[in-house]
């Protein structure tokens, strides 16, 4: 900062020297006045001095950046004097006239330092010398008759005077304050432009009147006074408009929620709003500390801790304003102006800005306290106040979230730890010792956690540790082995002797361990299982025990699954049909499509029927579930019918569903609602159902058969009864179980069962379908055994409903023959 004023002083010295040289040199140039000139040379020089003095005394001021700019009648005086006075005398006349005017203004109002006054006068003198040179190069304006050439020379000189004086002022501001010269230079020219045009017009008018009749000049003073007032009003209006805009921007920038943001915006806003050289925002903290945010005209803002500022009288170019809200002191604003003392308007603006800043700082402090309270409340809501670990609610919430983020079949483990003889510690040493023991245990457990682990205190002397990074490499027993090793390591580390309430003791714990897939249960269920394992450890006298499902007679996982199924049925976007076509082994035409159900569980992932059918069959939701699947399947079949595809669709029916006498009516309603012919619906029943010999089942199956619905026996060959049921219950299709199909190549027994089943079906006029065909060899062997149709991955994997229609159409188009009826004899 010290180097910048030094350069400005050097510039001032150079300008003063230039002004003296040009003034002296101009006076040394011989004047070419007419011999009959009625005015002596001294009188003309005096007129010039007086004209420049009056022109600069009638100045107007406006703020530019961090300084003040002045608008004078200098250009008008220059034009008149170029016409009346030898051009070489004008630098000296400006030096004397402007020097007298600015000295008087400095003494009476501005209180400028002599160096600053000397710089201004020297700049005006140098600008005048340059303007005189330009005007003289374009013509001889002295006492010349009004012509366009004279007007051009005078205007060119005025423009040169304006640009050079403004440029010198901009250079001085840039050197003094260390800022860019461009913005203040443009602002100065913009502020002077209107008055410059008026100056040129007034100057040219005066020159013209002098040539016509000098008495007309008596009419100029009122006009000049009105013009002066117009300029004053225009500058004041522009400055007020800019000031209000800057004030609005500065106060709007204070609308922030943190102290640093408010204070930094206040510093930047005050520098711009007041054109300040230095701004200090001293902020009082609630704990008695103070922090100062300081910015200078170069735009640099720094902050640091300070002692409470002492009350002191501000300097002449400073304004200090305490920042208070009610009776609360929130800080202090100190603004230092670069040159002139602040005016009344600036004092009023500073007062208003200070009030806005005080309110913003108070709001920021209040918001900071609210953030601290909120953060403290949020922390206490999820953390145990004694140990700092997660509390039970937070552990359950974050644990469930961690389980949902893992793949459905990724193994996880839960360790439930309980301190042995903790009650004895409380009773013997007191609750303070018990709290110390809990904190010690929590610290040791925290030190033993690894990435991916979740540790919490459930309450009392129980802790839980969820392991989500359980390794899967090493076989199916690897997760359990890893978890048990971790549990034993924890018990050994916690058992290291320690001192509690002056008593040296060893902390012994019991650990219950449970390992499960991430999608198999939520954390509440894992905690229940781990609790069972922990009590098994206590009862067995060991420190670690793994969960044994045979010891758990109250599993809630199925209950949770059923509750989730109820939600899935209501959501209508989780249970999805997967359709697998069966094809004729001779022609390749589709003989039917089996509808399989899959559950897109939001937490457990994709579930196959084996994951949820058994609990559904034993629940009250079976009827709703059956109707849901049947409705979905018939909706797909209806779409096929509209597309001209006559392909039956198969739906599996549970044994318990056949015990409901209302089933045939519900099936009939569904067929009518979807407008699907009954023969295009095949209900697959297990051999176990058919062997039941219950009268209600026989009646339900007979009613369905009489409606035209077709029946198929699924998993044929896996039962243990005679074949008498095929004569008792009329069915249309036998489906050979996949276990025989997969083993018939290497097992003569399996091949014999397939051959017998195919022969039996042919004898009874039934269609036979082989399930689970995965290779071309199996397909060829089935064809050789006389099997007419098959399904499996060799042909098609189960596919979405929106894709199977195109597959069926393609199969029908390329088939070599027609689809065989389900019964060879054509019976329905």
């Amino acid at each position: 900062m010290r180097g910048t004023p030094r350069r400005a002083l050097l510039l001032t010295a150079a300008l003063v020297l230039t002004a003296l040289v040009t003034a002296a040199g101009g006076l040394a140039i011989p004047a070419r006045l007419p011999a009959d000139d009625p005015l002596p040379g001294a009188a003309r020089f005096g007129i010039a001095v007086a004209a420049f003095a009056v022109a600069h005394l009638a100045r107007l001021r406006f703020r530019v950046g961090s300084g003040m700019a002045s608008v004078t009648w200098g250009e008008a005086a220059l034009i008149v004097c170029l016409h009346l006075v030898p051009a070489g005398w004008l630098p000296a006349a400006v030096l004397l006239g402007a020097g007298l005017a600015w000295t008087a203004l400095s003494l009476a109002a501005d209180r400028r330092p002599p160096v600053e006054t000397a710089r201004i006068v020297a700049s005006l003198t140098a600008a005048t010398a340059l303007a005189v040179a330009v005007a003289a190069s374009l013509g001889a304006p002295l006492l010349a008759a009004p012509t366009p050439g004279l007007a051009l020379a005078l205007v060119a000189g005025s423009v040169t005077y304006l640009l050079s004086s403004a440029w010198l002022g901009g250079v001085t501001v840039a050197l003094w304050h260390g800022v860019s010269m461009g913005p203040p230079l443009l602002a100065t020219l913009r502020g002077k432009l209107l008055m410059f045009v008026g100056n040129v017009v007034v100057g040219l008018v005066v020159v013209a009147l002098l040539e016509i009749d000098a008495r007309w000049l008596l009419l100029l003073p009122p006009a000049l006074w009105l013009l002066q007032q117009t300029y004053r009003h225009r500058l004041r209006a522009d400055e007020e408009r800019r000031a209000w805009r800057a004030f609005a921007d500065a106060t709007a920038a204070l609308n922030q929620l943190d102290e640093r943001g408010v204070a930094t915006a206040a510093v930047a806003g005050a520098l711009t709003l007041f054109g300040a050289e230095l701004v200090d925002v001293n902020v009082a903290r609630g704990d008695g500390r103070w922090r100062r945010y300081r910015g200078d005209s170069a735009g640099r803002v720094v902050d640091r801790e300070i002692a409470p500022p002492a009350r002191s009288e501000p300097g002449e170019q400073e304004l200090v304003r305490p920042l208070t809200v009610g009776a609360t002191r929130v800080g202090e604003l100190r603004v230092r102006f670069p040159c002139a003392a602040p005016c009344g308007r600036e004092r009023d603006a500073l007062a208003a800005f200070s009030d806005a800043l005080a309110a913003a700082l108070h709001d920021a402090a209040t918001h900071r306290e609210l953030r601290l309270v909120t953060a403290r409340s949020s922390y206490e809501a999820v953390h145990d106040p004694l140990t700092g670990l997660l509390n039970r609610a937070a552990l359950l919430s974050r644990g469930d979230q961690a389980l949902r983020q893992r793949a459905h079949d990724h193994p996880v483990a839960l360790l439930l730890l309980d301190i042995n003889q903790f009650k004895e510690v409380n009773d013997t040493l007191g609750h303070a010792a018990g709290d110390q023991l809990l904190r010690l245990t929590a610290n040791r457990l925290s030190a033993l956690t690894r990435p991916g682990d979740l540790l919490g205190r459930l309450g009392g002397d129980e802790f839980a540790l969820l392991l989500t990074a359980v390794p899967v490499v090493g076989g199916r027993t690897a997760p359990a082995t890893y978890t048990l090793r971790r549990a034993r390591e924890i018990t050994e580390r916690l058992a290291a002797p320690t001192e509690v309430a002056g008593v040296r003791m060893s902390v012994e714990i019991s650990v219950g361990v449970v390992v499960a897939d991430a999608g198999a249960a939520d954390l509440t269920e894992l905690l229940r299982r781990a609790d069972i394992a922990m009590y098994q450890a206590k009862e067995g006298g060991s420190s670690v025990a793994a969960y044994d499902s045979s010891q758990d007679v109250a599993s809630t996982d199925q209950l949770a699954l059923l509750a989730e199924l109820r939600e899935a049925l209501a959501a209508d976007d989780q249970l999805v049909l997967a359709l697998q076509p069966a094809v004729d082994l001779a022609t390749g035409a589709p003989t039917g499509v089996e509808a399989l159900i899959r559950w897109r569980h939001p937490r457990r992932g994709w579930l196959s029927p084996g994951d949820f059918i058994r609990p559904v069959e034993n629940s009250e939701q079976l009827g709703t579930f059956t109707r849901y699947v049947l409705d979905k399947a018939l909706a797909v079949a209806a779409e096929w019918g509209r597309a001209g595809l006559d392909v039956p669709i198969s739906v599996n029916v549970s044994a318990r569903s056949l015990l409901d006498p209302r089933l045939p009516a519900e099936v009939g309603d569904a067929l009518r609602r979807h407008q699907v012919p009954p023969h295009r619906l095949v209900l697959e029943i297990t051999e176990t159902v058919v062997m039941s010999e219950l009268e209600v089942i026989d009646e339900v199956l007979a009613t369905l058969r009489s409606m035209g619905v077709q029946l198929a026996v699924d998993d044929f060959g896996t039962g243990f009864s005679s074949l008498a049921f095929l004569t008792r219950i009329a069915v249309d299709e036998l489906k050979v179980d996949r276990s025989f199909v997969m083993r018939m190549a290497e097992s003569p027994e399996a091949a014999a069962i397939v051959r017998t089943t195919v022969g039996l079906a042919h004898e009874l006029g039934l269609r036979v379908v082989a399930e689970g065909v995965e290779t071309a060899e199996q397909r060829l062997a089935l064809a050789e055994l006389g099997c007419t149709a098959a399904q499996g991955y060799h042909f098609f994997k189960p596919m979405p409903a929106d894709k199977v229609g195109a597959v069926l159409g393609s199969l029908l188009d390329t088939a070599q023959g027609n689809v065989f009826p389900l019964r060879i004899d054509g019976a329905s």
Side-chain angles (χ1 to χ4, degrees):
M1 291 295 293
R2 293 180 180 177
T4 300
R6 186 179 298 116
R7 291 196 295 270
L9 290 175
L10 291 175
L11 175 64
T12 300
L15 287 173
V16 170
L17 180 60
T18 301
L20 293 174
V21 170
T22 56
L27 292 174
I29 297 174
R32 296 182 177 85
L33 292 171
D36 57 347
D37 187 7
L39 291 176
R44 291 187 180 276
F45 183 76
I47 291 174
V49 172
F52 283 114
V54 172
H56 286 281
L57 284 173
R59 66 164 189 186
L60 297 174
R61 304 177 71 197
F62 62 94
R63 183 170 294 281
V64 175
S66 58
M68 300 293 293
S70 297
V71 181
T72 70
W73 292 92
E75 291 85 359
L78 176 65
I79 291 174
V80 174
C81 291
L82 280 171
H83 181 67
L84 295 178
V85 181
W89 295 0
L90 294 187
V94 171
L95 184 62
L96 291 176
L100 290 173
W102 281 95
T103 300
L105 291 172
S106 180
L107 294 175
D110 299 346
R111 300 285 190 255
R112 291 180 181 274
V115 173
E116 180 70 10
T117 302
R119 181 194 63 79
I120 294 173
V121 174
S123 297
L124 295 173
T125 303
T128 301
L130 187 58
V132 166
V134 171
S137 66
L138 295 177
L142 179 62
L143 301 176
T147 61
L150 174 64
L152 177 61
L154 296 178
V155 171
S158 299
V159 172
T160 304
Y161 176 83
L162 171 68
L163 295 178
S164 55
S165 60
W167 183 81
L168 288 172
V171 170
T172 303
V173 170
L175 292 178
W176 189 269
H177 298 290
V179 297
S180 174
M181 183 181 69
L185 177 60
L186 292 176
T188 300
L189 292 174
R190 187 166 53 247
K192 289 185 174 185
L193 182 60
L194 179 63
M195 193 165 181
F196 166 76
V197 174
N199 280 352
V200 172
V201 173
V202 169
L204 294 177
V205 168
V206 170
V207 171
L209 292 177
L210 287 174
E211 290 298 320
I212 298 171
D213 189 343
R215 288 175 297 179
W216 286 103
L217 295 178
L218 296 176
L219 299 177
L220 278 180
L224 293 179
W225 182 85
L226 288 176
L227 195 57
Q228 174 82 354
Q229 296 307 311
T230 301
Y231 292 157
R232 186 189 305 277
H233 176 74
R234 174 64 181 273
L235 286 175
R236 184 175 298 170
D238 288 346
E239 189 168 1
E240 288 294 330
R241 185 167 56 253
R242 287 194 297 269
W244 279 113
R245 187 185 304 116
F247 183 83
D249 293 341
T251 53
L254 300 178
N255 187 23
Q256 303 195 46
L257 296 179
D258 63 294
E259 174 195 296
R260 179 179 296 276
V262 172
T264 303
V267 169
L271 288 170
T272 302
L273 181 61
F274 303 108
E277 183 180 62
L278 191 69
V279 174
D280 285 341
V281 175
N282 301 323
V283 181
R285 299 278 181 81
D287 54 6
R289 296 179 300 152
W290 284 70
R291 191 165 194 86
R292 169 173 291 164
Y293 296 84
R294 168 169 288 181
D296 56 26
S297 56
R300 293 181 291 266
V301 180
V302 296
D303 63 284
R304 63 183 180 89
E305 296 284 342
I306 61 170
R311 297 185 182 275
S312 59
E313 289 296 325
E316 184 179 352
Q317 296 176 203
E318 276 189 336
L319 284 179
V320 179
R321 179 85 177 181
L323 304 176
T324 58
V325 176
T328 304
R329 188 182 186 190
V330 296
E332 178 184 81
L333 176 62
R334 184 179 294 266
V335 179
R336 183 190 303 169
F337 293 81
C339 301
C343 62
R345 185 195 64 80
E346 289 168 332
R347 293 178 183 274
D348 294 339
L350 183 69
F353 183 73
S354 299
D355 291 341
L357 174 57
L361 286 174
H362 185 268
D363 290 346
T366 302
H367 192 268
R368 178 174 178 271
E369 291 298 324
L370 287 176
R371 286 200 305 270
L372 293 175
V373 171
T374 303
R376 190 180 305 113
S377 299
S378 300
Y379 180 86
E380 293 174 352
V382 298
H383 288 84
D384 173 51
L386 179 63
T387 63
L389 300 179
L390 293 177
N391 58 25
R392 184 184 187 91
L395 183 67
L396 289 173
S397 174
R398 297 188 184 182
D400 285 337
Q401 183 179 3
L403 293 178
R404 287 192 294 269
Q405 292 174 348
R406 293 293 185 273
H408 171 73
D409 57 351
H410 189 282
V412 296
L414 182 69
L415 278 61
L416 183 63
L417 306 95
D418 181 86
I419 301 177
N420 297 333
Q421 287 84 44
F422 179 74
K423 184 176 183 300
E424 285 75 2
V425 174
N426 268 339
D427 294 342
T428 305
L429 302 179
H431 289 283
D435 291 346
Q436 181 184 352
L437 178 59
L438 290 174
R439 285 192 293 268
L440 173 68
T441 304
N443 293 337
R444 287 185 171 181
L445 285 173
S446 298
L448 294 172
T449 57
R450 300 176 183 177
D453 294 351
L454 201 62
L455 175 65
R457 180 190 175 204
L458 300 179
D461 60 344
E462 284 189 345
F463 299 84
L465 179 62
L466 178 65
L467 312 180
T468 60
V470 177
V472 295
V473 179
R476 298 183 60 182
T477 61
T481 303
Y482 168 83
T483 305
L484 290 173
R485 186 169 63 249
R486 282 284 306 274
R488 294 188 181 97
E489 177 187 350
I490 290 173
T491 59
E492 293 173 2
R493 297 286 292 274
L494 290 180
T498 186
E499 188 174 294
V500 176
V503 177
R504 192 164 181 80
M505 64 177 62
S506 177
V507 181
E508 296 182 355
I509 61 172
S510 297
V511 184
V513 175
V514 59
V515 180
D517 290 343
D522 58 13
L523 194 61
T524 301
E525 172 63 16
L526 294 180
L527 280 173
R528 191 192 65 80
R529 297 177 186 178
D531 188 66
I532 294 173
M534 183 196 59
Y535 280 102
Q536 291 173 359
K538 285 182 177 291
E539 293 172 0
S542 61
S543 59
V544 177
Y547 169 73
D548 183 358
S549 59
S550 64
Q551 302 295 319
D552 183 3
V553 296
S555 175
T556 61
D557 189 49
Q558 290 189 2
L559 296 177
L561 191 68
L562 291 175
E564 292 162 351
L565 177 62
R566 185 177 292 108
E567 297 175 357
L569 291 171
D572 198 35
D573 61 351
Q574 297 183 23
L575 297 173
V576 181
L577 283 186
L579 303 171
Q580 187 176 38
V583 299
D584 189 294
L585 292 179
T587 67
T591 62
V593 177
E594 182 176 2
L596 307 170
I597 195 72
R598 300 289 186 267
W599 187 354
R600 185 167 52 202
H601 197 284
R603 181 173 59 83
R604 303 171 187 251
W606 282 102
L607 301 181
S608 65
D611 295 323
F612 60 90
I613 286 297
R614 185 173 297 277
V616 172
E617 288 180 336
N618 297 321
S619 72
E620 297 299 324
Q621 297 188 52
L622 176 61
T624 303
F625 178 78
T626 301
R627 289 190 293 273
Y628 181 92
V629 176
L630 184 63
D631 190 71
K632 289 285 187 181
L634 290 178
V636 174
E639 292 182 4
W640 296 346
R642 287 189 290 271
L645 301 175
D646 186 14
V647 180
I649 190 166
S650 302
V651 177
N652 290 276
V653 180
S654 166
R656 283 193 62 221
S657 296
L658 297 175
L659 293 173
D660 186 358
R662 297 171 297 179
L663 179 64
E666 293 175 350
V667 172
D669 290 341
L671 289 169
R672 285 189 293 274
R673 186 168 61 254
H674 292 284
Q675 299 181 351
V676 175
H679 72 274
R680 285 175 48 202
L681 174 63
V682 180
L683 297 181
E684 295 189 5
I685 56 179
T686 61
E687 185 177 341
T688 304
V689 172
V690 182
M691 295 185 321
S692 62
E693 298 187 5
L694 292 176
E695 184 177 352
V696 62
I697 291 181
D698 290 355
E699 292 177 355
V700 168
L701 291 176
T703 302
L704 290 170
R705 193 74 169 71
S706 65
M707 292 167 50
V709 176
Q710 308 211 40
L711 301 178
V713 179
D714 197 14
D715 302 333
F716 186 81
T718 59
F720 299 96
S721 72
S722 67
L723 300 179
F725 70 90
L726 290 180
T727 60
R728 181 171 56 86
I729 301 297
V731 298
D732 300 277
E733 181 180 278
L734 300 181
K735 301 191 76 171
V736 181
D737 187 68
R738 67 179 62 247
S739 61
F740 303 121
V741 174
M742 295 178 65
R743 293 186 292 112
M744 65 181 182
E746 66 274 3
S747 171
E749 293 82 2
I753 291 175
V754 173
R755 185 182 304 105
T756 302
T757 302
V758 171
L760 177 64
H762 288 169
E763 290 294 330
L764 297 177
L766 307 178
R767 178 180 175 145
V768 60
V769 178
E771 295 181 299
V773 179
E774 297 184 357
T775 65
E777 291 77 8
Q778 293 171 351
R779 174 181 181 175
L780 181 61
L782 289 169
E784 291 176 351
L785 291 174
C787 185
T788 56
Q791 72 182 73
Y793 279 21
H794 175 65
F795 305 103
F796 299 101
K797 294 182 179 180
M799 64 187 69
D802 58 350
K803 294 183 179 180
V804 73
V807 172
L808 295 177
S810 176
L811 290 176
L812 289 171
D813 291 340
T814 58
Q816 298 177 0
N818 296 323
V819 180
F820 289 111
L822 287 179
R823 290 181 64 111
I824 294 177
D825 58 7
S828 60

